[in-house]
Amino acid sequence: MSEGDVHEVVSFEHPGEGRRRARSIPKGRQVDPIAAEEIATLIGERPRRRDLLIEHLHLIQDAYGRISAAHLAALADVMRLALAEVFEVATFYAHFDVTKDDPPAPKGLTVRVCDSLTCAMFGSQKLLDELKSAGLPGVRVVRAPCVGLCDRAPAVEVGHHFIEEADRAKVEAAIAAGDTHAHIDDYIDYDRYVAAGGYRLLGRVRSGEFAIEDVLKGLDAADLRGLGGAGFPAGRKWRAVRGEPGPRLMAVNADEGEPGTFKDRHYLNTDPHRFLEGTLIGAHVVEAPEIYIYLRDEYPMAREVLAREIARLPAGGPTIHLRRGAGAYICGEESSLLESLEGKRGLPRHKPPYPFQVGLFGLPTLINNVETLYWIRDILEKGAAWWTSQGRNGRKGLRSFSVSGRVKKPGMKLAPAGITVRELIAEYCGGMADGHAFRAYLPGGASGGILPASMDDIPLDFGTLEKYGCFIGSAAIIVLSDKDDLKAAALNLMRFFEDESCGQCTPCRVGTQKAAMLMAVRDWDRALLGELSQVMRDASICGLGQAASNPLTTLMRYFPEEFSGGAA
């Protein structure tokens, strides 16, 4: 029953008659019949299940450019949800433009200008101001968090078309040409993948020729770890899920939202079936009949490629559901991802229980990120020894480094685990950009901390950076030079976390806000910022709040020259 179905029954005394029941008076927002017809047409024969709420909201946003109050009420009615439930989900996600206009205003075009660290270093704020002041008719210009094009900064999204190394002329030309759709580049499709030996390993695993226990032993021997940032051993995770009573499910974290990170985008856009084969092997090992791929909405090209190629997979395997995120960095946290897949706000769950015990829809769930699954085929076909022989400086394996900032050749660099940033810049990035001297680097994206160039000999891998107050995370390397303002860089990162905090817990919600406020002044109160950072690390529910202060604390620790004359 929707709010529009709730009625208040009014009784009154009529002269000469006893007490009687009068007509029902509707309470709450009523469903507009035109909006109801529009929603019914949009949804069509699609199921009305709660877990599809975000997908249905995307249908409205895509069709109308915004989501009106009338459409929210109609959607709530058709899905048999309270309007408050639909409203709280729609307003949680940044990509839903919820408006009070009834009827909705004419559809306009949204232009998003990335303002995360690397794009800010390359002038995105100036570009944002220019586009806003241009007064482009029918165009809404907004700032956006990282869109995963840090190596081609500054990035602008016109509709669903991304403009790399953008300037005002490029953006206005795309708008004038109506170029608002994702561009699909060349990639290895199903036929090319199969012709090169693809899916043979999956067939061997499904037939029993390659035993499940041998799969698990192979992952253990390679010590493949979760490459989304957590670094948990993949073999142990697969065993843990397999050890739980069925039925079980599998979820793939393709919500790559850490500023500076774009490796998963590269693999999805160029070689999607290698990732899909690893995913299907994982589902077979844990006996999951359904797989849910949660893909960030900023990757429309990857969504088109995956939708196209999943449809080409032979029948008989697990059902693969491709779900769109909606602009919420917090959904990269595994339990928030599960909440979003269930059609809810992406609020982190308390642990225990852990997702391998109680995951999606309350069932044991295997969760891996894209790159982890991408390497399954190579490790099992070539052997664990091949993988472990790839490291450098005493480390093992390969790492997909997302490198951006002041280097000549930014991009995704496949390099040995344990390589140092000095070696990475020199051997894979062509050195520093002309006119720039290496001053600092982020070894693990926005939350991985900031280190000085003098500490350029630390092997980049899991477990090597923690003693310095940093971590490698998803291996996003942002290189800063003598031309960059480090305090401004740290403030940019803190404002990102302030915007992306889900608001569930006070230490993160208030802590990021207060930290950004304290960092916006010329002289930082380092004692107060240090105390605030400690509270955020100790008391926040999830990794966002726990790690948000890492750039701040490492800047104060390793760059004393930035604070000469400031508060102690």
Side-chain angles (χ1 to χ4, degrees), residues 81-248:
L81 296 171
L83 177 57
E85 290 181 87
V86 177
F87 180 81
E88 72 176 7
V89 172
T91 54
F92 180 85
Y93 295 94
H95 288 187
F96 297 140
D97 180 19
V98 180
T99 174
K100 294 181 180 179
D101 295 340
D102 269 337
K107 180 177 180 179
L109 177 66
T110 298
V111 172
R112 293 185 170 90
V113 181
C114 179
D115 71 347
S116 289
L117 180 55
T118 308
C119 284
M121 291 163 59
F122 285 84
S124 63
Q125 183 59 53
K126 179 176 179 291
L127 179 57
L128 177 63
D129 293 340
E130 288 177 353
L131 293 173
K132 282 188 172 182
S133 63
L136 302 170
V139 176
R140 183 175 68 114
V141 180
V142 298
R143 53 174 291 277
C146 187
V147 297
L149 284 168
C150 315
D151 55 332
R152 304 168 194 176
V156 174
E157 184 182 14
V158 178
H160 290 301
H161 167 50
F162 284 97
I163 300 175
E164 303 165 359
E165 299 177 355
D167 57 27
R168 178 175 173 177
K170 287 183 179 179
V171 174
E172 291 184 347
I175 294 172
D179 191 2
T180 61
H181 299 288
H183 291 191
I184 308 300
D185 296 329
D186 181 51
Y187 67 91
I188 301 173
D189 65 7
Y190 179 79
D191 292 335
R192 288 171 61 188
Y193 185 73
V194 170
Y199 292 113
R200 290 180 188 172
L201 175 64
L202 175 64
R204 293 174 62 203
V205 172
R206 285 178 172 173
S207 69
E209 179 188 345
F210 200 127
I212 288 178
E213 184 58 30
D214 290 335
V215 170
L216 295 171
K217 287 180 179 178
L219 299 183
D220 290 340
D223 193 24
L224 176 65
R225 302 176 68 171
L227 298 173
F232 192 84
R236 282 179 56 191
K237 179 180 282 191
W238 289 24
R239 287 182 187 277
V241 175
R242 185 174 168 80
E244 293 293 312
R248 311 176 193 95

Side-chain angles (χ1 to χ4, degrees), residues 117 484-493 495 519 524 555 562:
L117 180 55
D484 295 310
D485 183 336
L486 299 188
K487 291 173 78 172
L491 176 58
N492 176 284
L493 298 170
R495 283 175 172 163
M519 295 166 70
W524 289 9
L555 186 68
E562 290 287 321

Side-chain angles (χ1 to χ4, degrees), residues 465-488:
L465 294 154
E466 282 76 1
K467 63 183 178 182
Y468 305 108
C470 301
F471 55 80
I472 191 171
S474 57
I477 312 296
I478 303 178
V479 179
L480 298 97
S481 78
D482 56 336
K483 303 293 194 299
D484 295 310
D485 183 336
L486 299 188
K487 291 173 78 172

Side-chain angles (χ1 to χ4, degrees), residues 423-463:
E423 296 167 333
L424 189 64
I425 292 172
E427 298 175 30
Y428 290 83
C429 302
M432 293 293 294
D434 292 338
H436 291 268
F438 184 29
R439 187 185 180 195
Y441 67 105
L442 281 70
S447 55
I450 304 176
L451 292 173
S454 60
M455 299 173 66
D456 63 355
D457 58 350
I458 304 170
L460 297 173
D461 196 13
F462 296 114

Side-chain angles (χ1 to χ4, degrees), residues 25 51 55 127 136 166 172 182 212 270 311 326 361 407 423 444 459 464 496 518 534:
I25 301 175
D51 63 288
E55 293 295 304
L127 179 57
L136 302 170
E172 291 184 347
I212 288 178
T270 59
F361 308 125
V407 295
E423 296 167 333
T464 62
F496 169 81
L518 291 168
Q534 190 64 51

